[in-house]
Amino acid sequence: MTEPAFDAESHVRAMTASLGLTVEPAWMPEVVAHLAAIRAAAQLVERFALADEAEPAPIFEAGR
């Protein structure tokens, strides 16, 4: 099954309305572009196959 196309601009408009935020019209293309980039990055993470037995890495503590 194919995933429906992601319309970043519609999503930004819906979320700003829902949250009561205002995006200046001059900034809308940049906000939409950033949301689209974030979505693309999230898709890379979601599609990365992990084995069921994979464990999270231990906590990194600098200086040890």
Side-chain angles (χ1 to χ4, degrees):
M1 184 165 92
T2 20
E3 193 174 297
F6 180 68
D7 183 352
E9 184 171 353
S10 292
H11 191 76
V12 169
R13 291 188 189 285
M15 295 312 298
T16 54
S18 173
L19 296 169
L21 300 174
T22 302
V23 175
E24 296 293 328
W27 285 99
M28 185 59 80
E30 285 82 2
V31 173
V32 170
H34 282 277
L35 181 62
I38 291 167
R39 172 95 185 328
Q43 285 181 314
L44 290 173
V45 173
E46 287 177 344
R47 291 179 182 152
F48 187 81
L50 285 176
D52 288 337
E53 58 275 354
E55 294 288 332
I59 296 173
F60 173 80
E61 294 181 26
R64 288 193 169 200

